[in-house]
Amino acid sequence: MILGIVVIFFLIFLMVIFPTRIKIINKILFLFTLIILILFAAFRDGKSVNDYELYVGAWYWASYEKTTIEASFIFIRDILRDGLRLHYLSIFIIYAILGVVTKLFAIKKIANNFYLAVLIYLSHFYILHELTQMRAGVAAGFILLAIAPLYNRNIKQFLFLTSIAIVFHYSAVLMLPLWFVRTNKNTKFLYYLVPIGIVFYVTGFNFIQKIPIPYFQTKLDTYQKLTEDGVEGYAKINVFNAFYLLRVLIFYFVMIFRHKIAEHSKYFYLLLRIEGISLFALPTLAIIPAIAYRVHEFLGIVELVLYPLIIYAFRIRIVGYFVVIMIALIMFCVNIFYNKLILF
Protein backbone atom coordinates (compact mmCIF):
# COMPACT_ATOMS: atom_id res chain seq x y z
CA MET A 1 0.00 0.00 0.00
CA ILE A 2 2.92 2.33 0.73
CA LEU A 3 4.16 1.83 -2.82
CA GLY A 4 0.74 2.70 -4.24
CA ILE A 5 0.44 6.01 -2.38
CA VAL A 6 4.03 6.91 -3.32
CA VAL A 7 3.25 6.29 -7.00
CA ILE A 8 0.15 8.51 -6.80
CA PHE A 9 2.19 11.23 -5.07
CA PHE A 10 4.78 11.06 -7.88
CA LEU A 11 2.08 11.26 -10.58
CA ILE A 12 0.54 14.38 -9.01
CA PHE A 13 4.03 15.83 -8.66
CA LEU A 14 4.55 15.39 -12.40
CA MET A 15 1.27 17.21 -13.06
CA VAL A 16 2.55 20.10 -10.94
CA ILE A 17 5.91 20.50 -12.70
CA PHE A 18 4.56 19.85 -16.22
CA PRO A 19 1.36 21.94 -16.37
CA THR A 20 -0.65 22.37 -19.53
CA ARG A 21 -3.14 25.01 -20.70
CA ILE A 22 -4.87 22.69 -23.14
CA LYS A 23 -8.41 22.40 -21.76
CA ILE A 24 -9.16 18.88 -22.99
CA ILE A 25 -5.95 17.53 -21.47
CA ASN A 26 -6.70 19.27 -18.17
CA LYS A 27 -10.17 17.73 -18.14
CA ILE A 28 -8.71 14.28 -18.78
CA LEU A 29 -6.10 14.76 -16.03
CA PHE A 30 -8.77 15.96 -13.61
CA LEU A 31 -10.91 12.91 -14.31
CA PHE A 32 -7.89 10.62 -14.03
CA THR A 33 -6.93 12.16 -10.67
CA LEU A 34 -10.48 11.86 -9.40
CA ILE A 35 -10.79 8.19 -10.39
CA ILE A 36 -7.38 7.07 -9.13
CA LEU A 37 -7.89 8.71 -5.72
CA ILE A 38 -11.37 7.20 -5.37
CA LEU A 39 -10.26 3.70 -6.35
CA PHE A 40 -7.21 3.71 -4.09
CA ALA A 41 -9.30 4.86 -1.10
CA ALA A 42 -12.20 2.49 -1.81
CA PHE A 43 -10.06 -0.63 -2.22
CA ARG A 44 -7.34 0.18 0.32
CA ASP A 45 -5.63 -2.56 2.28
CA GLY A 46 -7.54 -2.69 5.56
CA LYS A 47 -4.53 -4.12 7.42
CA SER A 48 -2.39 -1.07 6.59
CA VAL A 49 -4.67 1.66 8.00
CA ASN A 50 -6.51 2.35 11.22
CA ASP A 51 -10.32 2.33 11.63
CA TYR A 52 -10.88 -0.09 8.74
CA GLU A 53 -11.96 -2.98 10.96
CA LEU A 54 -14.20 -0.59 12.92
CA TYR A 55 -16.18 0.16 9.74
CA VAL A 56 -16.31 -3.50 8.75
CA GLY A 57 -17.66 -4.26 12.22
CA ALA A 58 -20.21 -1.44 11.91
CA TRP A 59 -21.42 -3.02 8.67
CA TYR A 60 -22.54 -6.10 10.61
CA TRP A 61 -24.01 -4.35 13.66
CA ALA A 62 -27.71 -5.06 13.99
CA SER A 63 -28.79 -1.65 15.29
CA TYR A 64 -27.77 1.98 15.73
CA GLU A 65 -27.88 1.70 19.53
CA LYS A 66 -24.69 -0.35 19.60
CA THR A 67 -22.57 2.58 18.54
CA THR A 68 -22.31 6.37 18.63
CA ILE A 69 -21.61 6.44 14.91
CA GLU A 70 -23.69 8.96 12.93
CA ALA A 71 -27.17 7.96 11.80
CA SER A 72 -26.17 8.85 8.21
CA PHE A 73 -23.67 5.98 8.20
CA ILE A 74 -26.32 3.56 9.44
CA PHE A 75 -28.81 4.87 6.84
CA ILE A 76 -26.35 4.41 3.95
CA ARG A 77 -25.27 1.04 5.31
CA ASP A 78 -28.84 -0.24 5.58
CA ILE A 79 -29.61 0.76 1.99
CA LEU A 80 -26.48 -0.95 0.68
CA ARG A 81 -26.63 -4.00 2.94
CA ASP A 82 -30.33 -4.69 3.42
CA GLY A 83 -31.86 -2.95 0.43
CA LEU A 84 -29.36 -3.71 -2.34
CA ARG A 85 -27.72 -6.78 -0.73
CA LEU A 86 -24.21 -5.51 -1.52
CA HIS A 87 -20.81 -6.42 -0.05
CA TYR A 88 -19.37 -4.31 2.77
CA LEU A 89 -16.86 -2.85 0.30
CA SER A 90 -19.74 -0.86 -1.16
CA ILE A 91 -19.78 1.52 1.80
CA PHE A 92 -16.05 2.19 1.38
CA ILE A 93 -16.71 2.99 -2.28
CA ILE A 94 -19.53 5.43 -1.44
CA TYR A 95 -17.50 7.25 1.21
CA ALA A 96 -14.42 7.37 -1.03
CA ILE A 97 -16.51 8.95 -3.81
CA LEU A 98 -18.05 11.51 -1.46
CA GLY A 99 -14.78 12.38 0.29
CA VAL A 100 -12.67 12.76 -2.85
CA VAL A 101 -15.28 14.44 -5.07
CA THR A 102 -16.23 17.12 -2.52
CA LYS A 103 -12.60 18.03 -1.86
CA LEU A 104 -11.47 18.08 -5.48
CA PHE A 105 -14.43 20.19 -6.58
CA ALA A 106 -13.87 22.57 -3.66
CA ILE A 107 -10.19 22.84 -4.58
CA LYS A 108 -11.10 23.45 -8.22
CA LYS A 109 -13.47 26.23 -7.16
CA ILE A 110 -11.30 28.23 -4.73
CA ALA A 111 -7.64 27.21 -5.25
CA ASN A 112 -5.28 29.12 -7.54
CA ASN A 113 -3.21 26.09 -8.47
CA PHE A 114 -5.28 22.90 -8.63
CA TYR A 115 -2.55 20.25 -8.76
CA LEU A 116 -0.37 21.94 -6.17
CA ALA A 117 -3.39 21.92 -3.87
CA VAL A 118 -4.02 18.23 -4.69
CA LEU A 119 -0.39 17.49 -3.78
CA ILE A 120 -0.92 19.09 -0.36
CA TYR A 121 -4.20 17.15 -0.05
CA LEU A 122 -2.49 13.87 -0.85
CA SER A 123 0.36 14.52 1.59
CA HIS A 124 -1.92 14.69 4.63
CA PHE A 125 -5.70 14.93 4.47
CA TYR A 126 -6.16 12.19 1.88
CA ILE A 127 -4.21 9.78 4.10
CA LEU A 128 -5.92 10.98 7.29
CA HIS A 129 -9.46 11.17 5.93
CA GLU A 130 -10.06 9.02 2.86
CA LEU A 131 -7.77 6.20 4.01
CA THR A 132 -8.59 6.33 7.73
CA GLN A 133 -11.32 8.60 9.14
CA MET A 134 -13.67 8.39 6.16
CA ARG A 135 -16.74 9.84 7.94
CA ALA A 136 -14.73 12.88 8.96
CA GLY A 137 -13.37 12.97 5.42
CA VAL A 138 -16.79 13.45 3.86
CA ALA A 139 -17.70 16.11 6.43
CA ALA A 140 -14.41 17.94 5.78
CA GLY A 141 -15.16 17.92 2.06
CA PHE A 142 -18.45 19.73 2.62
CA ILE A 143 -16.73 22.13 5.02
CA LEU A 144 -14.27 23.03 2.26
CA LEU A 145 -17.17 23.51 -0.17
CA ALA A 146 -18.72 25.91 2.37
CA ILE A 147 -15.72 28.28 2.25
CA ALA A 148 -16.93 30.11 -0.89
CA PRO A 149 -20.46 30.81 0.44
CA LEU A 150 -18.92 31.77 3.79
CA TYR A 151 -16.75 34.36 2.03
CA ASN A 152 -19.66 35.55 -0.14
CA ARG A 153 -21.94 35.78 2.93
CA ASN A 154 -24.46 33.43 1.35
CA ILE A 155 -25.98 32.09 4.54
CA LYS A 156 -28.40 29.68 2.81
CA GLN A 157 -25.63 27.84 0.92
CA PHE A 158 -23.35 27.98 3.95
CA LEU A 159 -25.94 26.46 6.27
CA PHE A 160 -26.97 23.88 3.67
CA LEU A 161 -23.40 22.61 3.14
CA THR A 162 -22.56 22.77 6.84
CA SER A 163 -25.73 20.84 7.69
CA ILE A 164 -24.72 18.07 5.30
CA ALA A 165 -21.26 18.02 6.91
CA ILE A 166 -22.87 17.67 10.36
CA VAL A 167 -25.01 14.78 9.12
CA PHE A 168 -21.85 12.90 8.14
CA HIS A 169 -19.91 13.83 11.28
CA TYR A 170 -21.42 15.61 14.26
CA SER A 171 -18.13 17.40 15.01
CA ALA A 172 -18.69 19.53 11.90
CA VAL A 173 -21.05 21.65 14.02
CA LEU A 174 -17.94 23.63 14.98
CA MET A 175 -18.10 25.14 11.46
CA LEU A 176 -21.16 27.21 12.40
CA PRO A 177 -19.33 29.83 14.53
CA LEU A 178 -17.10 30.60 11.53
CA TRP A 179 -19.99 32.57 10.07
CA PHE A 180 -18.91 35.37 12.42
CA VAL A 181 -15.27 35.33 11.28
CA ARG A 182 -14.36 38.51 9.43
CA THR A 183 -12.51 38.64 6.11
CA ASN A 184 -10.78 42.03 6.26
CA LYS A 185 -7.05 42.77 6.30
CA ASN A 186 -6.80 43.34 10.05
CA THR A 187 -4.98 40.13 10.98
CA LYS A 188 -2.20 41.25 13.35
CA PHE A 189 -4.03 39.61 16.26
CA LEU A 190 -3.38 36.23 14.64
CA TYR A 191 0.24 36.48 15.75
CA TYR A 192 -0.92 35.96 19.34
CA LEU A 193 -3.28 33.01 18.88
CA VAL A 194 -0.68 30.22 19.09
CA PRO A 195 1.16 31.71 22.11
CA ILE A 196 -2.15 32.19 23.94
CA GLY A 197 -3.12 28.60 23.14
CA ILE A 198 0.21 27.34 24.48
CA VAL A 199 -0.27 29.35 27.69
CA PHE A 200 -3.66 27.63 28.14
CA TYR A 201 -1.97 24.27 27.52
CA VAL A 202 0.88 24.84 29.98
CA THR A 203 -1.37 26.21 32.73
CA GLY A 204 -3.98 23.49 32.21
CA PHE A 205 -6.78 26.03 31.81
CA ASN A 206 -9.93 24.21 30.69
CA PHE A 207 -12.61 26.70 29.71
CA ILE A 208 -14.43 24.17 27.50
CA GLN A 209 -15.76 22.30 30.53
CA LYS A 210 -17.46 25.46 31.72
CA ILE A 211 -19.90 25.46 28.78
CA PRO A 212 -23.36 25.00 30.43
CA ILE A 213 -24.90 22.53 27.98
CA PRO A 214 -25.91 19.21 29.64
CA TYR A 215 -25.48 16.94 26.57
CA PHE A 216 -22.18 18.62 25.73
CA GLN A 217 -20.93 18.20 29.30
CA THR A 218 -21.86 14.51 29.27
CA LYS A 219 -19.81 13.94 26.11
CA LEU A 220 -16.88 15.86 27.62
CA ASP A 221 -16.99 13.80 30.79
CA THR A 222 -16.93 10.62 28.70
CA TYR A 223 -13.95 11.84 26.64
CA GLN A 224 -12.06 12.89 29.75
CA LYS A 225 -12.66 9.51 31.43
CA LEU A 226 -11.35 7.71 28.32
CA THR A 227 -8.30 10.00 28.33
CA GLU A 228 -7.59 9.32 32.01
CA ASP A 229 -7.91 5.57 31.37
CA GLY A 230 -5.43 5.81 28.50
CA VAL A 231 -7.81 4.29 25.96
CA GLU A 232 -6.28 4.14 22.45
CA GLY A 233 -7.25 7.18 20.42
CA TYR A 234 -7.95 9.22 23.57
CA ALA A 235 -4.49 9.24 25.17
CA LYS A 236 -2.94 12.52 26.26
CA ILE A 237 -1.19 14.39 23.48
CA ASN A 238 2.11 16.18 23.15
CA VAL A 239 1.25 19.51 21.57
CA PHE A 240 4.88 20.13 20.67
CA ASN A 241 4.96 17.32 18.13
CA ALA A 242 6.80 17.64 14.82
CA PHE A 243 3.70 17.98 12.68
CA TYR A 244 2.13 20.75 14.76
CA LEU A 245 5.40 22.69 14.96
CA LEU A 246 5.78 22.44 11.18
CA ARG A 247 2.30 23.89 10.70
CA VAL A 248 3.02 26.70 13.16
CA LEU A 249 6.24 27.53 11.31
CA ILE A 250 4.39 27.66 7.98
CA PHE A 251 1.63 29.79 9.51
CA TYR A 252 4.05 32.46 10.73
CA PHE A 253 5.86 32.47 7.41
CA VAL A 254 2.53 33.10 5.67
CA MET A 255 1.71 35.81 8.23
CA ILE A 256 4.95 37.65 7.45
CA PHE A 257 4.19 37.70 3.72
CA ARG A 258 0.40 37.96 4.06
CA HIS A 259 0.01 41.29 2.24
CA LYS A 260 1.97 40.04 -0.74
CA ILE A 261 0.11 36.72 -0.90
CA ALA A 262 -3.32 38.28 -0.41
CA GLU A 263 -3.07 40.05 -3.77
CA HIS A 264 -3.55 36.70 -5.51
CA SER A 265 -6.55 35.23 -3.65
CA LYS A 266 -9.72 36.87 -2.41
CA TYR A 267 -10.19 33.99 0.05
CA PHE A 268 -6.75 34.42 1.63
CA TYR A 269 -7.61 36.38 4.79
CA LEU A 270 -10.54 34.09 5.57
CA LEU A 271 -8.35 31.02 5.10
CA LEU A 272 -5.61 32.56 7.25
CA ARG A 273 -8.02 33.27 10.10
CA ILE A 274 -9.45 29.75 10.04
CA GLU A 275 -5.93 28.27 10.04
CA GLY A 276 -5.02 30.47 13.01
CA ILE A 277 -8.08 29.23 14.93
CA SER A 278 -7.11 25.64 14.03
CA LEU A 279 -3.61 26.09 15.47
CA PHE A 280 -5.05 27.80 18.55
CA ALA A 281 -7.51 24.96 19.16
CA LEU A 282 -5.02 22.09 19.52
CA PRO A 283 -3.11 23.36 22.59
CA THR A 284 -6.17 25.10 24.07
CA LEU A 285 -8.32 21.94 24.00
CA ALA A 286 -5.46 19.48 24.54
CA ILE A 287 -6.83 18.43 27.92
CA ILE A 288 -9.48 16.54 25.91
CA PRO A 289 -7.40 15.10 23.02
CA ALA A 290 -10.29 13.66 20.99
CA ILE A 291 -11.92 17.09 20.71
CA ALA A 292 -8.62 18.96 20.27
CA TYR A 293 -7.56 16.87 17.30
CA ARG A 294 -11.01 16.93 15.73
CA VAL A 295 -11.32 20.73 15.85
CA HIS A 296 -7.70 21.17 14.74
CA GLU A 297 -8.02 18.86 11.74
CA PHE A 298 -11.50 19.95 10.66
CA LEU A 299 -10.53 23.61 10.49
CA GLY A 300 -7.07 22.77 9.18
CA ILE A 301 -8.67 21.50 5.96
CA VAL A 302 -8.16 25.05 4.61
CA GLU A 303 -4.45 24.22 4.29
CA LEU A 304 -5.27 22.53 0.98
CA VAL A 305 -5.91 25.98 -0.48
CA LEU A 306 -3.75 28.12 1.83
CA TYR A 307 -0.39 26.38 1.45
CA PRO A 308 -0.20 26.54 -2.38
CA LEU A 309 -0.56 30.33 -2.08
CA ILE A 310 2.92 30.38 -0.54
CA ILE A 311 4.36 30.48 -4.06
CA TYR A 312 3.32 34.14 -4.22
CA ALA A 313 5.60 35.01 -1.30
CA PHE A 314 8.59 34.63 -3.62
CA ARG A 315 9.63 36.95 -6.41
CA ILE A 316 11.16 34.00 -8.27
CA ARG A 317 8.11 31.79 -8.70
CA ILE A 318 10.04 28.54 -9.19
CA VAL A 319 11.48 28.97 -5.69
CA GLY A 320 7.94 29.22 -4.35
CA TYR A 321 6.96 26.02 -6.13
CA PHE A 322 10.00 24.28 -4.69
CA VAL A 323 9.09 25.38 -1.16
CA VAL A 324 5.46 24.20 -1.43
CA ILE A 325 6.50 20.87 -2.98
CA MET A 326 8.99 20.38 -0.14
CA ILE A 327 6.25 21.13 2.41
CA ALA A 328 4.06 18.47 0.77
CA LEU A 329 6.93 15.98 0.73
CA ILE A 330 7.79 16.62 4.40
CA MET A 331 4.14 16.26 5.45
CA PHE A 332 3.87 13.08 3.39
CA CYS A 333 6.94 11.55 5.05
CA VAL A 334 5.89 12.67 8.55
CA ASN A 335 2.47 11.01 8.11
CA ILE A 336 3.98 7.74 6.92
CA PHE A 337 7.16 7.41 9.00
CA TYR A 338 6.40 9.52 12.11
CA ASN A 339 2.62 9.47 12.57
CA LYS A 340 2.45 6.04 10.89
CA LEU A 341 -0.97 6.65 9.35
CA ILE A 342 -0.11 3.90 6.86
CA LEU A 343 1.38 0.76 8.39
CA PHE A 344 4.12 -1.28 6.75
Side-chain angles (χ1 to χ4, degrees):
M1 186 166 178
I2 291 289
L3 179 60
I5 196 71
V6 169
V7 169
I8 295 174
F9 186 91
F10 181 70
L11 290 174
I12 303 300
F13 168 73
L14 291 179
M15 295 178 193
V16 171
I17 62 175
F18 297 114
T20 176
R21 294 184 179 180
I22 303 174
K23 290 184 178 180
I24 186 63
I25 293 179
N26 276 322
K27 288 181 179 179
I28 292 172
L29 290 176
F30 174 80
L31 187 61
F32 170 78
T33 303
L34 190 71
I35 292 173
I36 197 71
L37 291 179
I38 289 173
L39 290 177
F40 192 79
F43 298 101
R44 61 192 181 273
D45 177 8
K47 296 180 180 179
S48 299
V49 292
N50 296 318
D51 290 2
Y52 191 89
E53 292 301 324
L54 181 150
Y55 289 118
V56 174
W59 176 268
Y60 294 106
W61 283 329
S63 67
Y64 173 73
E65 287 73 20
K66 289 187 176 181
T67 176
T68 57
I69 206 165
E70 288 76 15
S72 59
F73 180 91
I74 304 300
F75 177 73
I76 294 171
R77 181 205 66 179
D78 288 350
I79 291 176
L80 298 175
R81 185 189 67 182
D82 303 329
L84 301 177
R85 304 287 182 179
L86 298 177
H87 190 270
Y88 71 76
L89 276 176
S90 59
I91 201 160
F92 289 98
I93 295 172
I94 294 297
Y95 272 80
I97 291 172
L98 291 171
V100 173
V101 168
T102 51
K103 291 188 183 72
L104 289 198
F105 274 89
I107 289 171
K108 194 173 182 63
K109 183 176 179 63
I110 65 176
N112 286 39
N113 189 307
F114 178 77
Y115 290 108
L116 202 56
V118 172
L119 197 67
I120 294 293
Y121 167 44
L122 188 65
S123 68
H124 178 56
F125 286 101
Y126 179 76
I127 299 173
L128 178 68
H129 287 159
E130 275 57 74
L131 301 187
T132 310
Q133 303 168 358
M134 64 186 197
R135 287 156 40 239
V138 175
F142 282 103
I143 286 175
L144 201 60
L145 282 172
I147 294 297
L150 174 58
Y151 173 83
N152 295 322
R153 310 307 294 169
N154 187 328
I155 193 168
K156 290 183 179 179
Q157 286 187 16
F158 174 76
L159 290 177
F160 174 71
L161 292 168
T162 302
S163 297
I164 296 176
I166 295 170
V167 166
F168 279 96
H169 204 290
Y170 298 146
S171 299
V173 70
L174 58 89
M175 184 69 179
L176 292 174
L178 293 183
W179 179 256
F180 303 101
V181 173
R182 301 170 66 187
T183 59
N184 59 34
K185 298 180 181 180
N186 183 20
T187 51
K188 287 186 178 180
F189 73 95
L190 293 177
Y191 278 114
Y192 309 107
L193 281 183
V194 174
I196 291 172
I198 291 175
V199 169
F200 284 157
Y201 172 71
V202 172
T203 58
F205 181 69
N206 186 12
F207 74 88
I208 193 171
Q209 287 192 324
K210 301 182 185 299
I211 299 175
I213 302 176
Y215 172 79
F216 188 67
Q217 286 301 318
T218 301
K219 295 292 287 185
L220 288 179
D221 291 341
T222 301
Y223 283 141
Q224 191 158 21
K225 181 65 167 59
L226 292 170
T227 299
E228 292 171 355
D229 293 343
V231 176
E232 186 178 357
Y234 297 90
K236 293 181 179 180
I237 60 176
N238 171 27
V239 166
F240 305 105
N241 62 76
F243 205 66
Y244 179 73
L245 294 178
L246 173 64
R247 289 165 124 166
V248 170
L249 180 65
I250 295 170
F251 175 72
Y252 280 108
F253 176 85
V254 173
M255 279 293 294
I256 292 171
F257 292 97
R258 64 189 183 281
H259 298 303
K260 192 174 181 180
I261 297 173
E263 297 175 1
H264 301 274
S265 173
K266 64 181 182 180
Y267 301 106
F268 173 73
Y269 285 117
L270 175 60
L271 299 172
L272 188 62
R273 281 179 167 83
I274 295 174
E275 176 68 0
I277 296 170
S278 167
L279 295 174
F280 168 78
L282 186 65
T284 302
L285 306 176
I287 195 167
I288 307 176
I291 293 179
Y293 270 126
R294 188 68 69 199
V295 175
H296 175 58
E297 294 294 353
F298 260 134
L299 299 184
I301 193 68
V302 298
E303 292 168 2
L304 303 188
V305 184
L306 182 64
Y307 284 3
L309 293 174
I310 289 173
I311 63 174
Y312 300 114
F314 299 88
R315 184 172 61 84
I316 302 175
R317 200 70 76 227
I318 193 171
V319 175
Y321 273 89
F322 175 79
V323 169
V324 176
I325 290 170
M326 286 306 299
I327 288 173
L329 182 60
I330 291 170
M331 291 172 68
F332 187 72
C333 291
V334 167
N335 276 316
I336 292 176
F337 300 109
Y338 179 76
N339 291 337
K340 296 181 179 178
L341 293 183
I342 299 179
L343 306 176
F344 290 93

